[in-house]
Structure formats: structure tokens, C-alpha cells
Amino acid sequence: AVRPVQRSILKGVHQAVSDGLPSHTPFPTKDSPGSAALLRSLTGEVIQGYARSMKVAIVNHLLKSNAEYLTEYKRLKLPPVPEERAPPENGKVDIPKPEQEYVKSKHYIKTTHYSCLHEVLKTFMWLNHTWDSSFATSTMMDTKMESLNLPTTLSAFDELQSKHSSEMNEHLSLNWRRSFTEQLVDNVQDVYDFFQSSKEVYAASSLARLFKHSEMRMAQQLRDTVTRSVRDFVSLVETYCISADHPNDSLPPLDSRKGLTGHGSLFLTKVVIGPTSVSLTPSPSDIEK
């Protein structure tokens, strides 16, 4: 059985009706012509809607928690059980009234956040633009190898990667780290005290928080570069290798020019025949290094 709607809920409904009426309109009573019948009709719809909703909720709960109930439900060939909908990605929730008013909180953030200063915001906009335009697609390894003729020697491959890594490090040092430092000093030197001699005062200052934020932001940019570099290099290795879980019975026919992967070879290898042994150069251990 469904418990009937409580009187306190009905009083709340009537109170909402009363609050929505103009000040010069009295609340309907049983003797009010027309309005009393309308109020009774609306109240009846609320009661019926409440009872129907509770019955649906009880049935859905039993269908989920009681296997016998679900079997009987299907045996009676009732309408299919509705699928449970996923929570919406975007929705509205009631936010309790904070201790501080929104206007005060907004003013606090506006006056204390590092980006509230035009000079600081300009500096970080330069950092983001420079990174997106010059470094966002760069990697620490050269995976395109456009200057090499494949298959290549291990020494030539190692030389190419060392040269690319050195150039990338120099590019980051000059055009990213040093340039950002110059931009930061030029833009905010009139706003912050760069000549603070007290370590304790500096540690509690907004300048220290600004430097910390800069450090974290730049560290995240470098982390993205390292992640992208590792992912591209792993993809390069997988292009020229057979994965460990590749079934041997499905390998293509061996082609001395393309190997087992169907691609051209990456490294030029030689068979070294000695008096008592046969080996490959470069050896697997040399490639791993």
C-alpha cells in the first residue's frame, strides 16, 4: 500500500499557491465561487500524481531487487522494464546559500587571483601562445627520420636522435624558458618587489605564489611534451617490430626486404661469422642501449 500524501506537503502546495497570488486577491475558501473548485481540482491532481509516482518507484525497486518479482512481471507479458537512464552530463542543482554573498566572493577572487593584474595575464597569454605555436607538436625524438635512408645504421640513428634532442633542449631553453623569464620580469617588475631580501617575507608574498604557478604551468607543458614523445617513439618501434603477443601461426611470409612486419627494415644488420660463432651486428643488446 502507498502511504497517502502528508498534510504538510499539501499545506506547502497551498502556501505556494498563496505566495503566487497578487496581494489584493484573497486565498480561495470553500465559499469562493470558481476559485475553490479550481484549487480542489489542482490539489487532487497533486495527490494523484504523488500516488502514481510512488507506485512506479515501488515497482521499479522490486524489479531491480527481487528476481521472483521480475520473473512474474515477464510471465504476465507486461510492458518491457524501462532502462535506467544515465545521469545527465549537464544539469542544475540547488546550491546552498554560502556564508559570503556571491558579489563579495566574486570581488575577492577578482582582486586576489594572479590573473586580476593585466600585466600578469598578458605574460601568461604570451606563454600559452608561444607554446601552442612553437612547441605543442614538438617531440624530444625525431620519429619522422626524413634525413635518413632506411635501413640505416645504429650509429646514424643514434646521432640523429642526439642531435634532435640537443636542438630541442636549446630551443626550449632560449625560446621558451629564457624568453618567458624576460617577459615576466619586463611585465611585472613594476607590480611586484623583486628586491625582497627577507626569505620569510618572500615565502608569504604574492610574488612567490606567482612563481609557483609559473613553475607548475611550465612543468605541465613539459610533461605533455615528454608524454607525446614517448607515445610517438613507441609507435615508431611498433611499426618495425612484431608484438610479443603476436601468434606465430599468423605471421606473413618472410620477405628479406620487408621482414615480418611488412615494412622496410629500420636498422641495417650484418651477419658476422667467426671461427667458432655467428653473431649479428648491431647486436640486440646494442639496440636496447
Side-chain angles (χ1 to χ4, degrees):
V2 178
R3 180 182 300 177
V5 59
Q6 299 180 12
R7 290 185 175 273
S8 58
I9 298 179
L10 294 179
K11 289 182 179 181
V13 173
H14 292 167
Q15 183 63 39
V17 173
S18 177
D19 294 341
L21 294 176
S23 57
H24 59 275
T25 302
F27 185 78
T29 61
K30 63 180 181 179
D31 298 328
S32 302
S35 57
L38 177 60
L39 180 60
R40 284 195 297 271
S41 176
L42 294 176
T43 305
E45 291 182 7
V46 171
I47 296 175
Q48 292 178 2
Y50 171 84
R52 188 180 301 110
S53 300
M54 291 299 102
K55 290 179 181 179
V56 171
I58 293 173
V59 171
N60 290 336
H61 174 71
L62 291 174
L63 290 175
K64 293 179 181 179
S65 59
N66 193 324
E68 296 180 358
Y69 192 91
L70 179 60
T71 303
E72 181 67 14
Y73 184 91
K74 294 181 178 179
R75 188 186 68 81
L76 296 174
K77 297 182 179 181
L78 296 174
V81 180
E83 297 181 359
E84 185 177 358
R85 297 181 180 180
E89 182 177 356
N90 299 316
K92 295 182 179 180
V93 295
D94 293 332
I95 301 177
K97 186 176 181 181
E99 296 181 359
Q100 295 184 356
E101 297 293 339
Y102 171 76
V103 176
K104 294 181 179 179
S105 301
K106 180 181 178 181
H107 177 73
Y108 177 78
I109 295 297
K110 183 179 179 180
T111 55
T112 57
H113 195 262
Y114 67 89
S115 64
C116 66
L117 298 175
H118 174 72
E119 296 82 0
V120 176
L121 184 60
K122 178 182 177 181
T123 304
F124 284 114
M125 289 179 62
W126 177 92
L127 177 63
N128 292 337
H129 174 73
T130 301
W131 184 265
D132 291 340
S133 59
S134 303
F135 300 96
T137 59
S138 301
T139 58
M140 303 302 295
M141 286 84 75
D142 185 357
T143 56
K144 297 180 179 180
M145 301 180 297
E146 296 176 349
S147 61
L148 294 180
N149 294 324
L150 300 181
T152 184
T153 61
L154 182 60
S155 58
F157 179 82
D158 183 64
E159 181 181 355
L160 174 67
Q161 300 304 330
S162 298
K163 179 181 178 182
H164 180 83
S165 178
S166 298
E167 292 177 350
M168 183 63 178
N169 289 334
E170 183 178 3
H171 188 34
L172 286 169
S173 178
L174 296 178
N175 301 323
W176 177 65
R177 186 175 183 275
R178 182 180 299 179
S179 297
F180 174 72
T181 303
E182 294 174 354
Q183 286 282 335
L184 183 64
V185 174
D186 291 343
N187 291 335
V188 304
Q189 62 180 344
D190 296 332
V191 180
Y192 294 95
D193 182 12
F194 281 83
F195 302 98
Q196 178 57 249
S197 58
S198 174
K199 183 178 180 180
E200 291 75 14
V201 175
Y202 165 76
S205 66
S206 56
L207 179 60
R209 294 194 296 271
L210 176 63
F211 284 160
K212 185 62 177 180
H213 175 81
S214 304
E215 177 186 354
M216 295 176 63
R217 180 174 294 227
M218 298 178 76
Q220 180 60 45
Q221 291 176 335
L222 284 179
R223 189 177 296 111
D224 292 340
T225 298
V226 173
T227 303
R228 183 171 54 255
S229 300
V230 172
R231 183 176 61 247
D232 290 353
F233 193 77
V234 170
S235 178
L236 171 67
V237 173
E238 290 177 345
T239 303
Y240 294 95
C241 296
I242 295 296
S243 59
D245 56 353
H246 199 294
N248 294 330
D249 55 355
S250 62
L251 291 176
L254 178 61
D255 188 330
S256 60
R257 294 165 298 177
K258 294 186 177 181
L260 293 175
T261 62
H263 298 278
S265 300
L266 177 59
F267 294 123
L268 182 64
T269 58
K270 296 180 181 180
V271 177
V272 179
I273 301 177
T276 59
S277 63
V278 178
S279 61
L280 289 176
T281 180
S283 64
S285 60
D286 294 334
I287 297 176
E288 292 179 358
K289 295 178 181 179

